Amino acid sequence: MIFIAGVPAMMMFIWPSGWGWTPSQPEYEQMIMGIYATLGVFLILAAKDPLANKSLIWFTVWSSIVHGGIMLVQALADKTDHANLLGDVPALFLVAAVLWYLMPKKSDI
């Protein structure tokens, strides 16, 4: 639900400076919201049987780490994007950590 509703809400209404980039790039933001909303729908479906859908979940974990890492470097390098250091950068790492933690181990079943 974070990807479906949370990302668009944060980017458009709640805290645009912590979730967007300067200068504003509406086309990029629409693309990101569309990709994450789609991923969110598929993650909800995958949650019904995580081990059968582990490649999608692990893709989300690792792509969030990579995406957050790249954004971290970019936000550190560009002072106009420092707000992202408190916005979407930690959010991506948090999503990765939560999914990693919640991913069932084979011995848990």
Side-chain angles (χ1 to χ4, degrees), residues 1 7 13 20 23 28 30 32 36 38 44 48 56 58-60 64 79 83-85 90 99 101 104-105 109:
M1 291 308 302
V7 170
F13 307 114
Y28 155 80
Q30 291 169 6
I32 289 296
Y36 277 107
T38 303
I44 289 171
K48 295 175 183 175
L56 174 65
W58 285 117
F59 167 79
T60 305
S64 295
K79 69 179 180 177
N84 296 85
L85 296 171
L99 287 176
Y101 176 77
K105 313 304 179 260
I109 295 179

Side-chain angles (χ1 to χ4, degrees), residues 2 6 15 21 23 30 38-39 52 54 59 62 78 80 83 85-86 92 95 97 100 105:
I2 289 171
W15 192 21
W21 292 90
Q30 291 169 6
T38 303
L39 180 57
K54 65 183 178 181
F59 167 79
W62 285 107
D78 187 347
T80 63
L85 296 171
L86 298 173
L92 283 163
V95 164
W100 192 315
K105 313 304 179 260

Side-chain angles (χ1 to χ4, degrees), residues 57-77:
I57 296 169
W58 285 117
F59 167 79
T60 305
V61 169
W62 285 107
S63 65
S64 295
I65 291 169
V66 170
H67 187 175
I70 292 168
M71 290 174 56
L72 173 66
V73 171
Q74 292 173 341
L76 288 171

